[in-house]
């Protein structure tokens, strides 16, 4: 009896089909994977598909016909829009995207904005020109504390990069973690401890019921006077009104926001014009087809070998 090869269906955005076809084919060849790669859901009977490369903005609105799935490989790091879907198979592993390009892009964004705040670069390149010889020396990185909310793949990578630059780095996660060379906090008391020392706070948490509104009037007030905020995780982390109030009363110095409750950010939203807010349009990092394809291929190899998949979502926790 002949065993049919696994069938991998790309169900991401149609505009990226050609690019993913090239890179997935190359990645499968590099891993010596004998699979059928299908780039259009219309070209395959759903029960034949074993591995679904999936994105929420793709063409599939109903996953129930895909009864032969071994794994759903999400193209995004976030899964908050997928988990509530009633058609999501309960017994099929859902994997969030974990790939080097996504991670390195986030490290670039976070370290860039941390250094911007640390060196007070806006003072010299902002709209108001400096006309006085006022010499304000920043502290050394070792005298500056950066707090990171979220110690998953992205948070750990950013923490490592910032430590490499000499910063004092603390991290917080819901459950206890122990990471070499990093001060790790967890739980409500740990959140208080991290906020109280974070001169620059970086948000890299997933969106869950527990993280929604975590940065509110009460928690923002625990940050040191003049602290700066960078949020590149999920917009729901922040109570917008509370953040604006903390900026207006000068408790916080500035906020750089890449993610928002509503995207695109509505044109009438006060973040656009607030002098202490920098808006970036969800560009902190992105899944890159070449490196993502390598991660997908490696995960399929693991699955076919009976090994644990990388990035499997804990559906109870929401990430």
């Amino acid at each position: 009896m002949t065993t049919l090869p696994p069938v991998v269906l790309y169900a991401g955005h149609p505009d990226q089909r050609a690019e993913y076809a090239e890179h997935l084919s190359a990645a499968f060849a590099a891993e010596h994977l004998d699979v059928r790669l299908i780039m259009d859901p219309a070209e395959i009977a759903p029960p034949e598909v074993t591995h679904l490369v999936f994105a929420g903005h793709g063409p599939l609105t109903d996953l129930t016909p895909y009864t032969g799935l071994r794994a759903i490989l999400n193209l995004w790091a976030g899964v908050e829009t997928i988990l509530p879907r009633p058609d999501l198979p309960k017994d099929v592993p859902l994997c969030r995207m974990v790939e080097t390009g996504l991670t390195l892009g986030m490290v670039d964004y976070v370290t860039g904005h941390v250094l911007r705040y640390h060196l007070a670069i806006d003072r010299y390149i902002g709209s108001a020109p400096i006309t006085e010889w006022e010499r304000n020396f920043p502290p050394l990185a070792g005298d500056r504390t950066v707090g990171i909310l979220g110690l998953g793949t992205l948070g750990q990578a950013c923490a490592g990069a910032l430590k490499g630059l000499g910063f004092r780095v603390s991290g917080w996660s819901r459950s206890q973690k122990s990471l070499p060379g990093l001060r790790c906090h967890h739980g409500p008391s740990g959140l208080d401890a991290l906020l109280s020392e974070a001169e620059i706070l970086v948000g890299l948490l997933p969106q869950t019921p527990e993280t929604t509104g975590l940065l509110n009037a009460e928690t923002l007030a625990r940050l040191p006077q003049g602290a700066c905020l960078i949020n590149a995780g999920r917009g729901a982390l922040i109570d917008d009104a509370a953040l604006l109030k903390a900026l207006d009363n000068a408790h916080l110095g500035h906020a750089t926001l890449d993610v928002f409750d509503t995207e695109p950010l509505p044109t009438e939203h006060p973040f656009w014009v607030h002098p202490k807010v920098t808006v970036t349009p969800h560009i902190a990092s992105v899944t890159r087809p070449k490196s993502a394809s390598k991660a997908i291929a490696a995960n399929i190899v693991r699955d076919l070998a009976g090994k644990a998949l990388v990035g499997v979502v804990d559906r109870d926790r929401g990430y």
Side-chain angles (χ1 to χ4, degrees):
M1 181 177 176
T2 303
T3 302
L4 296 175
V7 175
V8 180
L9 172 62
Y10 170 82
H13 200 285
D15 290 348
Q16 292 186 295
R17 276 181 188 162
E19 192 173 11
Y20 269 103
E22 174 188 355
H23 292 302
L24 284 170
S25 297
F28 293 161
E31 293 281 3
H32 305 289
L33 268 174
D34 178 22
V35 299
R36 284 179 65 199
L37 175 60
I38 307 296
M39 299 304 298
D40 185 346
E43 297 177 357
I44 188 74
E48 295 182 40
V49 178
T50 57
H51 297 82
L52 183 64
V53 179
F54 183 75
H57 63 4
L60 295 185
T61 58
D62 185 8
L63 299 181
T64 54
Y66 292 85
T67 55
L69 290 178
R70 295 173 58 104
I72 299 173
L73 307 171
N74 190 34
L75 285 170
W76 302 339
V79 293
E80 68 275 2
T81 61
I82 298 173
L83 287 176
R85 289 179 57 141
D87 61 323
L88 183 66
K90 291 182 173 57
D91 57 348
V92 177
L94 169 65
C95 300
R96 63 185 181 277
M97 177 53 68
V98 179
E99 61 103 352
T100 55
L102 185 67
T103 301
L104 293 174
M106 186 62 76
V107 168
D108 288 348
Y109 182 93
V110 168
T111 54
H113 284 283
V114 166
L115 285 169
R116 167 193 164 206
Y117 285 143
H118 172 62
L119 298 173
I121 288 174
D122 288 7
R123 178 182 300 169
Y124 303 102
I125 63 172
S127 57
I130 297 294
T131 58
E132 296 181 6
W133 192 256
E134 182 183 355
R135 305 177 76 199
N136 292 300
F137 294 98
L140 294 175
D143 295 322
R144 177 88 73 189
T145 298
V146 180
I148 297 182
L149 296 175
L151 291 175
T153 300
L154 299 178
Q156 290 183 40
C158 291
L162 291 167
K163 279 191 65 64
L165 291 171
F167 289 99
R168 297 188 308 232
V169 183
S170 295
W172 180 85
S173 53
R174 282 180 55 200
S175 56
Q176 185 172 6
K177 290 189 177 181
S178 178
L179 301 170
L182 181 66
R183 288 180 293 174
C184 297
H185 302 280
H186 71 282
S189 62
L191 179 63
D192 289 347
L194 178 130
L195 292 175
S196 68
E197 63 184 9
E199 298 165 84
I200 302 173
L201 182 67
V202 180
L204 291 172
L205 286 165
Q207 182 174 329
T208 69
E210 290 77 18
T211 62
T212 297
L214 186 67
L215 293 183
N216 51 46
E218 180 183 353
T219 51
L220 289 172
R222 296 173 193 162
L223 288 165
Q225 181 73 31
C228 294
L229 171 65
I230 301 164
N231 189 29
R234 287 294 180 263
L237 174 69
I238 296 174
D239 178 328
D240 290 359
L243 175 58
L244 288 166
K245 184 176 180 179
L247 292 166
D248 288 340
N249 66 23
H251 180 68
L252 296 186
H254 202 279
T256 293
L257 308 175
D258 186 61
V259 287
F260 308 92
D261 270 333
T262 301
E263 295 187 4
L265 185 65
T267 56
E268 68 276 10
H269 199 289
F271 283 158
W272 282 114
V273 296
H274 198 287
K276 293 184 178 181
V277 175
T278 297
V279 171
T280 59
H282 207 143
I283 58 167
S285 194
V286 66
T287 302
R288 289 162 168 80
K290 185 176 182 179
S291 47
S293 295
K294 293 178 181 179
I296 290 166
N299 233 3
I300 293 174
V301 168
R302 294 181 66 84
D303 179 54
L304 297 178
K307 297 180 180 179
L309 290 159
V310 173
V312 175
V313 174
D314 183 327
R315 301 194 187 196
D316 292 330
R317 289 191 169 192
Y319 59 91

